[in-house]
Amino acid sequence: MTYGVGLLLEDGLVLCSDSRTHAGVDHVAIFNKMHVWENPGERCLVLLTAGNLAVSQSVVNLLTEGLGKDRTETLANVPSMFEAARLVGRAVREIYDLDAARLKEQGSEFSISLILGGQLKGRRLRLFQIYSAGNFIEASAETPYFQIGETKYGKPILDRVVMGKTTLNEAAKCALISMDSTLRSNVSVGLPVDIAIVRRDECRVAVRRRLDEKDIYLSDIRRRWSEGLRSVFQTVPDPDWKV
Amino acid sequence: MTYGVGLLLEDGLVLCSDSRTHAGVDHVAIFNKMHVWENPGERCLVLLTAGNLAVSQSVVNLLTEGLGKDRTETLANVPSMFEAARLVGRAVREIYDLDAARLKEQGSEFSISLILGGQLKGRRLRLFQIYSAGNFIEASAETPYFQIGETKYGKPILDRVVMGKTTLNEAAKCALISMDSTLRSNVSVGLPVDIAIVRRDECRVAVRRRLDEKDIYLSDIRRRWSEGLRSVFQTVPDPDWKV
């Protein structure tokens, strides 16, 4: 399983994903689920993937090596974010056409979901969620985040905290706390965590970190959040029902 | 959808469920999902149901009206909690045999999951989770709670707070906070909330409340929890990455 979250804010984008994959409990491994296409100052696209790892990797390879008649259309040369989202959708459909029937024959579903965020010079910063059918939706001021994979454990904190005007550092903190809730409740989501921050109109990745269990900041917020929750729990009064 | 949670503690049991059902977005209604069989001082059994409402109601009716050759076996006369869990499983299988094929023909799955807690005089307080195949598992000191329905949003707080020695009032507070997280993130789970508390060795329901949006205690903990989370979020330091 996977957990990935992308947030679209007034100041820019925050994208965060875990790195655990498993094909059964005896085949657990670490794979990167965050992919960046960047020409600093010109374009910056970040893609998060969830679902069948073979499908995800094939899609990412297609987006790098090229689609179209001459295999020249890539995320490195696509002319807009809208065209980028369409290209990701086309890559998903190409892999679907190749793999889905074979997967089904052997009892597996074709599954992939993706978050694509980024900006091209002179154009808008945008965030998309792309489905396994290759169709997609775009984040807005009212719904400023998308999640993929094991989404539910980490949703409550996003619902309570994230707004368009949330700062990038606060949003990164929120994404990591959302990740922490997921890590604690589902063993198929695991460290290290990848996080990327893109400032609006910079067209490059301002921050990209891989945080493992030795990372001091991640350990610190996990401990503080856990202690803080317990402390709020204690301050909320018990019911006065006679028990 | 439904959210139900049952907690087995050193001091007794806490059971909590929402009451929203929906058959499509234009048929949303309130139905009780908490059912009590009680002879105070002698026996007290509380059943929470999730899944297809017609299946749940049929199972509850069978458990009241009777199973077996003479239709005499009910939760009001079953001789132990183990036999009670088996009886619930038998009721589920009887309804499965009646309904499952017809449901499948019309594109619906047979779905039900249940939590059964209680005690008979002179016997142990026990908590079971019963599956749609009629089989069941029992809670233990290491895993003192079960959830049914829309379980994920409300799981993180249970994982962080609940232990066997948690008091009944604290456990009730935790169940309601867990319910609150679910209510906020999933519109198919809704008020009012039913909550029951059973003290160990009393064999009766010590507290049973239905809490709606006008309930002062429920409103108070929802507001305090929300404010408390935001305040902990603010006290956790932002990353010092240069953004």
Tab-separated table of all heavy atoms in Angstrom, chain B residues 125-152:
chain	number	residue	atom	x	y	z
B	125	LEU	N	-17.066	-11.226	31.332
B	125	LEU	CA	-17.411	-10.154	30.401
B	125	LEU	C	-16.612	-10.376	29.126
B	125	LEU	O	-15.387	-10.543	29.182
B	125	LEU	CB	-17.022	-8.808	31.032
B	125	LEU	CG	-17.316	-7.537	30.242
B	125	LEU	CD1	-18.807	-7.203	30.316
B	125	LEU	CD2	-16.506	-6.358	30.799
B	126	ARG	N	-17.279	-10.387	27.968
B	126	ARG	CA	-16.568	-10.681	26.721
B	126	ARG	C	-17.024	-9.761	25.595
B	126	ARG	O	-18.136	-9.233	25.620
B	126	ARG	CB	-16.784	-12.157	26.337
B	126	ARG	CG	-16.263	-13.095	27.413
B	126	ARG	CD	-16.537	-14.552	27.094
B	126	ARG	NE	-15.571	-15.102	26.132
B	126	ARG	CZ	-15.471	-16.411	25.847
B	126	ARG	NH1	-16.284	-17.287	26.431
B	126	ARG	NH2	-14.582	-16.832	24.985
B	127	LEU	N	-16.132	-9.603	24.618
B	127	LEU	CA	-16.424	-8.765	23.458
B	127	LEU	C	-16.019	-9.523	22.196
B	127	LEU	O	-14.883	-9.995	22.090
B	127	LEU	CB	-15.652	-7.444	23.545
B	127	LEU	CG	-15.862	-6.441	22.404
B	127	LEU	CD1	-17.254	-5.817	22.477
B	127	LEU	CD2	-14.800	-5.329	22.454
B	128	PHE	N	-16.954	-9.640	21.248
B	128	PHE	CA	-16.707	-10.376	20.011
B	128	PHE	C	-16.948	-9.496	18.788
B	128	PHE	O	-17.784	-8.592	18.817
B	128	PHE	CB	-17.660	-11.576	19.901
B	128	PHE	CG	-17.473	-12.617	20.971
B	128	PHE	CD1	-18.251	-12.590	22.129
B	128	PHE	CD2	-16.532	-13.628	20.830
B	128	PHE	CE1	-18.087	-13.551	23.119
B	128	PHE	CE2	-16.360	-14.589	21.811
B	128	PHE	CZ	-17.142	-14.555	22.967
B	129	GLN	N	-16.222	-9.819	17.725
B	129	GLN	CA	-16.566	-9.271	16.413
B	129	GLN	C	-17.006	-10.428	15.531
B	129	GLN	O	-16.298	-11.444	15.422
B	129	GLN	CB	-15.369	-8.559	15.781
B	129	GLN	CG	-15.668	-8.116	14.352
B	129	GLN	CD	-14.707	-7.059	13.829
B	129	GLN	OE1	-13.741	-6.707	14.494
B	129	GLN	NE2	-14.973	-6.554	12.649
B	130	ILE	N	-18.165	-10.304	14.903
B	130	ILE	CA	-18.724	-11.390	14.098
B	130	ILE	C	-18.759	-10.939	12.633
B	130	ILE	O	-19.213	-9.838	12.319
B	130	ILE	CB	-20.147	-11.748	14.593
B	130	ILE	CG1	-20.059	-12.213	16.053
B	130	ILE	CG2	-20.758	-12.856	13.735
B	130	ILE	CD1	-21.023	-11.561	16.965
B	131	TYR	N	-18.256	-11.801	11.773
B	131	TYR	CA	-18.124	-11.477	10.355
B	131	TYR	C	-19.341	-11.951	9.554
B	131	TYR	O	-20.168	-12.709	10.062
B	131	TYR	CB	-16.865	-12.131	9.789
B	131	TYR	CG	-15.598	-11.680	10.462
B	131	TYR	CD1	-14.912	-12.517	11.340
B	131	TYR	CD2	-15.073	-10.410	10.231
B	131	TYR	CE1	-13.739	-12.114	11.966
B	131	TYR	CE2	-13.909	-9.999	10.842
B	131	TYR	CZ	-13.247	-10.850	11.709
B	131	TYR	OH	-12.094	-10.433	12.322
B	132	SER	N	-19.362	-11.560	8.278
B	132	SER	CA	-20.516	-11.904	7.440
B	132	SER	C	-20.566	-13.395	7.107
B	132	SER	O	-21.590	-13.891	6.644
B	132	SER	CB	-20.517	-11.077	6.158
B	132	SER	OG	-19.331	-11.292	5.447
B	133	ALA	N	-19.463	-14.132	7.350
B	133	ALA	CA	-19.516	-15.583	7.160
B	133	ALA	C	-20.027	-16.285	8.422
B	133	ALA	O	-20.152	-17.513	8.459
B	133	ALA	CB	-18.132	-16.122	6.793
B	134	GLY	N	-20.308	-15.509	9.471
B	134	GLY	CA	-20.834	-16.088	10.710
B	134	GLY	C	-19.735	-16.523	11.675
B	134	GLY	O	-20.019	-16.984	12.778
B	135	ASN	N	-18.492	-16.409	11.270
B	135	ASN	CA	-17.367	-16.710	12.185
B	135	ASN	C	-17.053	-15.484	13.027
B	135	ASN	O	-17.533	-14.383	12.745
B	135	ASN	CB	-16.146	-17.166	11.378
B	135	ASN	CG	-15.716	-16.153	10.329
B	135	ASN	OD1	-16.526	-15.329	9.907
B	135	ASN	ND2	-14.476	-16.220	9.914
B	136	PHE	N	-16.255	-15.654	14.072
B	136	PHE	CA	-16.044	-14.514	14.966
B	136	PHE	C	-14.708	-14.596	15.693
B	136	PHE	O	-14.081	-15.649	15.751
B	136	PHE	CB	-17.198	-14.395	15.975
B	136	PHE	CG	-17.493	-15.641	16.757
B	136	PHE	CD1	-16.818	-15.922	17.942
B	136	PHE	CD2	-18.455	-16.544	16.315
B	136	PHE	CE1	-17.107	-17.058	18.676
B	136	PHE	CE2	-18.745	-17.698	17.040
B	136	PHE	CZ	-18.068	-17.956	18.214
B	137	ILE	N	-14.284	-13.450	16.196
B	137	ILE	CA	-13.066	-13.361	17.004
B	137	ILE	C	-13.402	-12.624	18.295
B	137	ILE	O	-14.408	-11.928	18.386
B	137	ILE	CB	-11.925	-12.614	16.267
B	137	ILE	CG1	-12.373	-11.200	15.841
B	137	ILE	CG2	-11.457	-13.406	15.053
B	137	ILE	CD1	-11.245	-10.354	15.265
B	138	GLU	N	-12.515	-12.812	19.297
B	138	GLU	CA	-12.752	-12.198	20.610
B	138	GLU	C	-11.664	-11.189	20.928
B	138	GLU	O	-10.488	-11.422	20.633
B	138	GLU	CB	-12.774	-13.299	21.685
B	138	GLU	CG	-13.057	-12.726	23.072
B	138	GLU	CD	-13.188	-13.789	24.166
B	138	GLU	OE1	-12.910	-14.970	23.889
B	138	GLU	OE2	-13.554	-13.400	25.297
B	139	ALA	N	-12.039	-10.091	21.550
B	139	ALA	CA	-11.066	-9.077	21.980
B	139	ALA	C	-10.243	-9.618	23.144
B	139	ALA	O	-10.678	-10.507	23.878
B	139	ALA	CB	-11.786	-7.801	22.399
B	140	SER	N	-9.034	-9.064	23.290
B	140	SER	CA	-8.135	-9.512	24.352
B	140	SER	C	-7.478	-8.293	24.981
B	140	SER	O	-7.663	-7.164	24.521
B	140	SER	CB	-7.056	-10.392	23.734
B	140	SER	OG	-6.269	-9.618	22.852
B	141	ALA	N	-6.667	-8.525	26.008
B	141	ALA	CA	-5.980	-7.416	26.677
B	141	ALA	C	-5.085	-6.678	25.676
B	141	ALA	O	-4.921	-5.462	25.748
B	141	ALA	CB	-5.165	-7.927	27.853
B	142	GLU	N	-4.487	-7.409	24.728
B	142	GLU	CA	-3.577	-6.788	23.767
B	142	GLU	C	-4.337	-6.010	22.685
B	142	GLU	O	-3.827	-5.053	22.127
B	142	GLU	CB	-2.705	-7.845	23.072
B	142	GLU	CG	-1.746	-8.579	24.003
B	142	GLU	CD	-2.438	-9.614	24.873
B	142	GLU	OE1	-3.469	-10.184	24.424
B	142	GLU	OE2	-1.997	-9.832	26.010
B	143	THR	N	-5.525	-6.482	22.341
B	143	THR	CA	-6.336	-5.830	21.306
B	143	THR	C	-7.713	-5.599	21.910
B	143	THR	O	-8.635	-6.391	21.734
B	143	THR	CB	-6.432	-6.720	20.049
B	143	THR	OG1	-5.090	-7.028	19.620
B	143	THR	CG2	-7.156	-6.006	18.923
B	144	PRO	N	-7.830	-4.484	22.669
B	144	PRO	CA	-9.028	-4.319	23.487
B	144	PRO	C	-10.198	-3.662	22.768
B	144	PRO	O	-11.183	-3.332	23.419
B	144	PRO	CB	-8.533	-3.424	24.629
B	144	PRO	CG	-7.447	-2.600	24.026
B	144	PRO	CD	-6.834	-3.433	22.923
B	145	TYR	N	-10.109	-3.460	21.457
B	145	TYR	CA	-11.266	-2.846	20.795
B	145	TYR	C	-11.510	-3.448	19.418
B	145	TYR	O	-10.610	-3.990	18.783
B	145	TYR	CB	-11.095	-1.329	20.673
B	145	TYR	CG	-10.079	-0.894	19.652
B	145	TYR	CD1	-10.426	-0.752	18.315
B	145	TYR	CD2	-8.767	-0.617	20.015
B	145	TYR	CE1	-9.500	-0.354	17.369
B	145	TYR	CE2	-7.832	-0.211	19.076
B	145	TYR	CZ	-8.206	-0.091	17.762
B	145	TYR	OH	-7.283	0.298	16.830
B	146	PHE	N	-12.768	-3.355	18.987
B	146	PHE	CA	-13.170	-3.722	17.628
B	146	PHE	C	-13.911	-2.548	17.013
B	146	PHE	O	-14.606	-1.807	17.707
B	146	PHE	CB	-14.104	-4.940	17.642
B	146	PHE	CG	-13.420	-6.242	17.989
B	146	PHE	CD1	-14.011	-7.122	18.894
B	146	PHE	CD2	-12.211	-6.597	17.407
B	146	PHE	CE1	-13.395	-8.333	19.202
B	146	PHE	CE2	-11.592	-7.802	17.715
B	146	PHE	CZ	-12.188	-8.673	18.620
B	147	GLN	N	-13.792	-2.441	15.699
B	147	GLN	CA	-14.538	-1.421	14.947
B	147	GLN	C	-15.268	-2.098	13.799
B	147	GLN	O	-14.775	-3.083	13.244
B	147	GLN	CB	-13.576	-0.406	14.325
B	147	GLN	CG	-12.713	0.377	15.282
B	147	GLN	CD	-11.696	1.192	14.489
B	147	GLN	OE1	-10.745	0.641	13.943
B	147	GLN	NE2	-11.901	2.488	14.405
B	148	ILE	N	-16.413	-1.547	13.420
B	148	ILE	CA	-17.124	-2.016	12.229
B	148	ILE	C	-17.522	-0.825	11.367
B	148	ILE	O	-17.657	0.293	11.862
B	148	ILE	CB	-18.380	-2.859	12.570
B	148	ILE	CG1	-19.284	-2.114	13.554
B	148	ILE	CG2	-17.989	-4.224	13.114
B	148	ILE	CD1	-20.606	-2.836	13.821
B	149	GLY	N	-17.718	-1.093	10.074
B	149	GLY	CA	-18.157	-0.045	9.151
B	149	GLY	C	-17.003	0.805	8.674
B	149	GLY	O	-15.964	0.295	8.259
B	150	GLU	N	-17.191	2.089	8.759
B	150	GLU	CA	-16.224	3.073	8.247
B	150	GLU	C	-15.169	3.310	9.333
B	150	GLU	O	-15.208	4.278	10.075
B	150	GLU	CB	-16.984	4.361	7.923
B	150	GLU	CG	-16.187	5.437	7.246
B	150	GLU	CD	-15.544	4.975	5.963
B	150	GLU	OE1	-16.251	4.820	4.985
B	150	GLU	OE2	-14.318	4.737	5.964
B	151	THR	N	-14.176	2.385	9.401
B	151	THR	CA	-13.351	2.277	10.608
B	151	THR	C	-12.091	3.143	10.625
B	151	THR	O	-11.548	3.403	11.692
B	151	THR	CB	-12.873	0.818	10.784
B	151	THR	OG1	-12.085	0.462	9.641
B	151	THR	CG2	-14.047	-0.120	10.905
B	152	LYS	N	-11.623	3.574	9.462
B	152	LYS	CA	-10.254	4.092	9.428
B	152	LYS	C	-10.066	5.476	10.026
B	152	LYS	O	-9.090	5.730	10.709
B	152	LYS	CB	-9.717	4.046	7.998
B	152	LYS	CG	-9.564	2.613	7.509
B	152	LYS	CD	-8.938	2.534	6.134
B	152	LYS	CE	-8.808	1.081	5.700
B	152	LYS	NZ	-8.139	0.982	4.397
